[in-house]
Amino acid sequence: MTAGPRCTPRTQAALGLALCVLLAWPTLRQALEASMWRHMVLQFPLLMAAGALLAAALPPRARAAVARWNAHGIAGLVGVAVALGVLMVPRVLDLALREPAIEAAKCAALLLAGAALRLSWRAAGLVVQGFFLGNVLPMTAVVGQLYIDAPLRLCNAYLLDDQARLGQWLIALAVLLALGWLAQVGWWMVRREGTALLPHEG
């Protein structure tokens, strides 16, 4: 039985480029940015996914250069956390809607964050992954609660009910990502214990 076709780095990069073009299409971009929750919960992850796919095209020499300053994935994950923290600020969302330069910077930051996440996640290991998520996910949940509790609009471009809906999405997303990572850790530990119990050939 032969293995199925692999998604080669070139194919992944092509998919990433196609996703970038699709997200830059004015009709889709305006539809995503017309709602506060779609802006942050859909557009942000899609741009990061595009960046992660594009990172597959990095040649080995470039990957080696990145790995030298990204030991254990720490630098890359710190960069991801900083980018997401800045882009969650309501004022940044408002500026991105009004200023093309800020919109371009936002998209570039998310593409780079997606690439950094891909290049850093496996190298980070469980301890650094847990530290990263232990900072980013609570921050996401706190921002979500602030959006829910705020009596006034924090983004001039969006209505108060849209703001509260985004808060609910952010809290739910933080919980789901935490549960998903914990499930991954549990599966890894079970597999490791199963491998340790297998008889070794003498």
Side-chain angles (χ1 to χ4, degrees):
M1 183 177 178
T2 59
R6 293 183 58 194
C7 192
T8 64
R10 181 175 295 182
T11 302
Q12 292 181 55
L15 289 173
L17 183 59
L19 185 54
C20 286
V21 172
L22 183 63
L23 291 171
W25 184 36
T27 302
L28 180 59
R29 181 172 61 81
Q30 291 167 11
L32 290 173
E33 294 180 349
S35 167
M36 195 176 184
W37 78 266
R38 289 198 300 269
H39 192 167
M40 194 176 290
V41 179
L42 292 181
Q43 189 190 56
F44 279 25
L46 286 172
L47 284 167
M48 291 181 68
L53 288 168
L54 289 171
L58 280 178
R61 182 175 296 181
R63 285 178 176 268
V66 169
R68 280 196 294 272
W69 61 264
N70 192 29
H72 305 293
I74 294 173
L77 293 182
V78 168
V80 173
V82 170
L84 292 177
V86 170
L87 292 174
M88 284 185 187
V89 176
R91 176 65 173 165
V92 175
L93 291 182
D94 272 336
L95 288 174
L97 293 174
R98 297 203 313 264
E99 301 290 341
I102 302 298
E103 172 76 5
K106 178 198 77 176
C107 294
L110 289 168
L111 289 171
L112 288 173
L117 189 61
R118 175 173 185 158
L119 296 172
S120 306
W121 189 253
R122 185 169 295 181
L126 294 179
V127 174
V128 178
Q129 289 175 10
F131 183 79
F132 168 74
L133 293 176
N135 284 273
V136 171
L137 297 184
M139 175 187 71
T140 303
V142 168
V143 170
Q145 193 62 51
L146 288 173
Y147 278 139
I148 292 172
D149 294 339
L152 300 174
R153 290 189 300 167
L154 300 179
C155 280
N156 294 327
Y158 298 111
L159 298 177
L160 193 59
D161 59 342
D162 197 13
Q163 177 176 293
R165 190 177 301 114
L166 169 63
Q168 295 167 356
W169 272 101
L170 289 177
I171 293 173
L173 188 60
V175 171
L176 288 175
L177 288 175
L179 292 175
W181 182 75
L182 290 173
Q184 176 190 343
V185 172
W187 174 82
W188 179 82
M189 293 179 66
V190 168
R191 190 179 67 166
R192 187 181 66 172
E193 291 176 2
T195 302
L197 292 174
L198 290 176
H200 297 284
E201 294 184 2

